Structures are given as C-alpha cells and as structure tokens.
Amino acid sequence: MSDLFKRTAKYYFRQGIKLFSYISLGVLAVAVMWTATLLGEGDDWSRRLFLMLLEFFEFFMPYAAFMLSLYAATLNDGIVLSMGARRKDIFIGNLIKQGTYALCNALGYLLLALPVWEQGRIKHVLFVIAMSLASGASGYFFGYKVDKYNNAVAAVVAIVYMLLYVLIRYSFVIIDVGFSAYAFENNVVIYALGALLIFAGMEVLIYRANKYSSVVT
Amino acid sequence: MGVLAGKNIVKKYGKETVLKNIDINLETGKIYGLIGRNGAGKTTLLSILTAQNPATEGTVTLDGEAVWENEKALSRICYSREISQVTMLGTNNLKVKEYLATAKAFYANWDEEYAKELIKLFKIDAGKRIRGLSKGMLSVVTIIVALASKAEITILDEPVAGLDIVAREQFYNLVIDEYANTGRTFIISTHIIEEAASLFERVIIIDGGEIKFEENTEDLLARAYRVSGSAEAVDKAVSGYKVYNTETIGGFKVAILLAEEPGIDFGEEVHIEPVSLQNLFYAMCKSAEKGA
C-alpha cells in the first residue's frame, strides 16, 4: 500500500468523521427543539424525544450526505488533487469517506434506538446505511456535473432528490397516487437494496468522471 | 540532475487549441521564470506538467517516468496555485489553517515549523476563512504552501499577485534563501517581471500556446539590444536583425531587437543600451500585436 494512498485514505476517513460530527449535532439539536415544541402535559417525553430523534436522524442524515457531496467534487477533491493526490486514491478516498459516514450514521441510529428498541429497528439501520451511501454517491456525481452546468441545475437536482426521498421515506402516508404505494415499514429492506444499487451505479459513473478530472479554479 | 519534460503537449478545450505542440525540458536545481500574456497558456501548461489537468495529446515525464497518477513523481512536485474564494456552489468556507492542514496531510516533506514561521512573517490570521481574505493574503497562503511543502520541484503561479512591495521582497528573499540552502527547483509564473527577473536563472516565454523562448536569462538578455539614434541611422544599423518594437519621435528612433549572439557592434552612429527582461517581453508583445 503506497504512502500517498495511506495519506489520502487517512484524510478522507477524517473527513467522514468530521462530516458525521457536524451534521449529527445539527440534526439532533433541531430534533430536540422540534420535539420540545410539540410536547404536552402528561406526555412520555423521553419516548417521544427518542422517536423524534430517530425520525430526524433517519431522514436528514442521508439527505445531508447528498447536499454536502455536491461540494466534494469541485472543492474538496479539487484541493486534494492540486496537492498531488492521485485520482484513483481520491476515488477510493471518497468511498472511505462515504462508508465512514454511513457506518457512523448506523451506529448513531443504533445508539438512539436503544431506549426505544423494537425488533424492526434493524431494517431501519440498513436503510440508513444504504441511503447514506446512495445519497453521498448521487450528490458527488451531480457535483461533477454542476461544474459543467450551473447553480440552478444543482438547486433543481437537490429539490428533485428531496421529493423522491420524501416519497420513498413517507410512502405509507401516500394514498391513491395512481399506482400501488407500498408501505415503507413493510419494504424497508427492498428500499435499502434499491439504494445500494443506486450507490453502485453512481460509483461507476463517478469513476469514469474522476478518471480525467482536473483542478478547477 | 533531473528533468521534468513535456513532449508534444497539446491541449484543446472544444475547438479551441490552448497549447500547441509544446516541447519543454525543465532541469532540476534551477529557478525558472515563466512569462506570458494573459491567456497565453501559462497556467494550463503548469497544470498539465503537474498532472492536475490531462493533456489532449503529448506526454509529461519526470526523469523518464510518466507523471500522470505516478506517486513517485507527484511526491516530488508542488504546484501551489491560485485559491478560489468562490466555488460552483457558494463561497469557500475553509479556514486558512484547515487548508494548510490539508497541505500537511499530502506533502510528505511538509515543514510545519517553517509554515508557522511564514504565517508569523506574513502576519496572516490562520483562523480566518478563505472567503474573507484579500487578494494579497490569498497569495500569501499559496506562498506558504509552496515553501513549506519542501517539494523538490516547486511551482508558483503568479505568487505575488496583490502583494505589497514589502511582502514581495520578503517572498523573493525567501525563494533565494530556500534555493541557496536546498537547491530546490522553482518555476515561477509572474507578470511583475522587472522585480522577479533577477531571480530567474532561465526564462520561458510563452505566447499563443507556444513556447517562444526557453533560455538562460543572462544569455537571452545579452543578445537583446536597445538601439537609438536618428531614424536613418537606426534603420541602417538594425537591418537584418529581428526587431520587435520601434518607437519614433520626430527624427529620433528607438528599436528593441534580439540578435543571434551577444557583443554585436552596431556602429558609432547609434547608441546601444542593454534591455531589461520586462522591456524585451513588452517589445515582443507589441510585435505580436502588430503581426496579428
């Protein structure tokens, strides 16, 4: 294993941890404040709090991966490339970063789920991992394309992704959309597998885009 | 002594050819000046030589080995380039210290103590975000990265842009000190030619995507002459030579030319003076404009 690869891998691993730390603190803070506004007298605040934290965590953490990955191709990776990193190491480095973020999300979700543990929670852990990977990869790929197009395209992509994400995550509340909408709870694993397929597909596209990428100033 | 060599380098963006069959050999252990007009292809050439931009055609090697995706070659090179304050999706929110920490992570020979000394010398606030830096301070950050990288081949793209005279002199002195102490290779692209010319052992002049000259600076300037006198006498003296620019005021004429060799005797009817690198380059640019 080359020295440059090790330095690159270490850098991206730290980026993954940093990303998780900043985003999770933000998401949890918002979730706590949101829950506090909803609590009434006599409510079992601890159970409601943890359920809300889980809801926010499961929804926002993977989506945040998409938004922040939009920056990665042109900013973070551009800086790293300008400092002598190899493109193949950057590609693997981003896999490490996304994997670290996804695993941290899973661990975070598990920790939050402990006080309100139910049997079905494991499926949600899989969903969090898969969606984090898919979202991160999708954002990263579109980040490459934003370089070619403009901010308006990035905004549209982000909104469309958000709508699709809402559709998947909250499909159990959608009634009569012209096709059979499967309840999320019954098909979490299917969604997770679908997300992993998206992740794999995106990584193939990213590999091609990354191969001849250049530093943009 | 090593050689960073580019052979038949062509770079096209769509239908536009930015670099046209460039051949260049940069020997290590020297200080090079890369000068050219805006849009001449300086940054594109440097980014291709350092594998930060793929060439459309051609090869780049360092001591015979391809630079592209080559750890051994890349570890010997630092190309410290202009930092962008704005990205495609908003402002660059990195702090100076975070940027320098990234440089530390990637440059194997990074000298942290030296970086700290430079931060102090240039009085830069490492806690400030890149988006909030002045143009001069952005240049300072690129200088710190370049010098503290301790890379064998260090390339700086317009490092003194926005710097005040004191900071510029500090930079030139630092480069001379580093060169004297370590023998590092420096390739410096600059528009402030007059000040930096004394640093350059060799000069590369690029125009319209082609290298016009790549030569020892002293040798080049030894062949450059400023011939002045009456218009008739000057015309007679300079005939047969490559004249880049002439200026006539009344019957008085001045011509800047480049001869094939130094020590030419133009006769007693004209006055001969040496030409600075800046004036020679200016004359070349004027000549190119007239030619266009």
Side-chain angles (χ1 to χ4, degrees), chain A residues 2-5 7-8 11-12 14 18 22 70-71 74-76 79-89 143 146-147 149 151 154 211-217, chain B residues 43 50-54 68-71 74-75 77-84 87-94 98-108 145:
Chain A
S2 81
D3 201 42
L4 183 56
F5 171 74
R7 292 201 299 274
T8 312
Y11 170 81
Y12 278 99
R14 282 193 188 137
K18 214 166 138 185
Y22 290 154
L70 282 173
Y71 275 94
T74 50
L75 179 58
N76 295 337
I79 290 171
V80 163
L81 185 62
S82 76
M83 289 180 180
R86 295 180 300 186
R87 285 160 184 79
K88 58 187 173 202
D89 294 341
V146 161
D147 184 27
Y149 301 110
N151 290 354
K211 219 169 167 190
Y212 294 104
S213 61
S214 55
V215 177
V216 175
T217 48
Chain B
T43 300
T50 53
Q52 291 184 18
N53 199 344
W68 186 264
E69 298 287 281
N70 181 342
E71 180 189 353
L74 290 170
S75 297
I77 300 172
C78 168
Y79 175 23
S80 190
R81 56 194 300 166
E82 182 188 349
I83 303 170
S84 179
T87 68
M88 288 291 165
L89 294 156
T91 54
N92 186 342
N93 292 322
L94 273 180
E98 289 168 343
Y99 189 80
L100 296 178
T102 307
K104 183 182 170 186
F106 281 94
Y107 291 115
V145 169

Side-chain angles (χ1 to χ4, degrees), chain A residues 126-175:
Chain A
L126 288 174
F127 180 79
V128 163
I129 292 175
M131 281 309 292
S132 298
L133 289 172
S135 296
S138 303
Y140 188 61
F141 174 70
F142 285 115
Y144 267 114
K145 296 304 168 186
V146 161
D147 184 27
K148 201 175 161 186
Y149 301 110
N150 61 34
N151 290 354
V153 170
V156 167
V157 165
I159 291 167
V160 168
Y161 193 83
M162 166 73 95
L163 291 172
L164 283 172
Y165 195 66
V166 168
L167 190 72
I168 292 167
R169 180 62 186 84
Y170 294 105
S171 58
F172 68 94
V173 298
I174 297 169
I175 45 171

Side-chain angles (χ1 to χ4, degrees), chain B residues 144-162:
Chain B
I144 294 173
V145 169
L147 293 175
S149 72
K150 296 288 185 176
E152 189 186 328
I153 300 171
T154 305
I155 301 173
L156 296 113
D157 194 358
E158 301 194 39
V160 297

Side-chain angles (χ1 to χ4, degrees), chain B residues 144-211:
Chain B
I144 294 173
V145 169
L147 293 175
S149 72
K150 296 288 185 176
E152 189 186 328
I153 300 171
T154 305
I155 301 173
L156 296 113
D157 194 358
E158 301 194 39
V160 297
L163 287 186
D164 59 50
I165 180 67
V166 172
R168 292 204 302 270
E169 287 298 319
Q170 282 173 333
F171 166 69
Y172 300 135
N173 290 334
L174 286 167
V175 169
I176 291 168
D177 283 344
E178 263 303 289
Y179 178 70
N181 292 333
T182 65
R184 282 165 76 178
T185 306
F186 286 94
I187 302 163
I188 301 169
S189 147
T190 183
H191 287 304
I192 308 182
I193 302 168
E194 197 68 31
E195 285 180 1
S198 58
L199 277 181
F200 302 151
E201 198 171 333
R202 291 187 77 82
V203 64
I204 305 159
I205 299 175
I206 184 170
D207 187 40
E210 294 174 325
I211 290 184

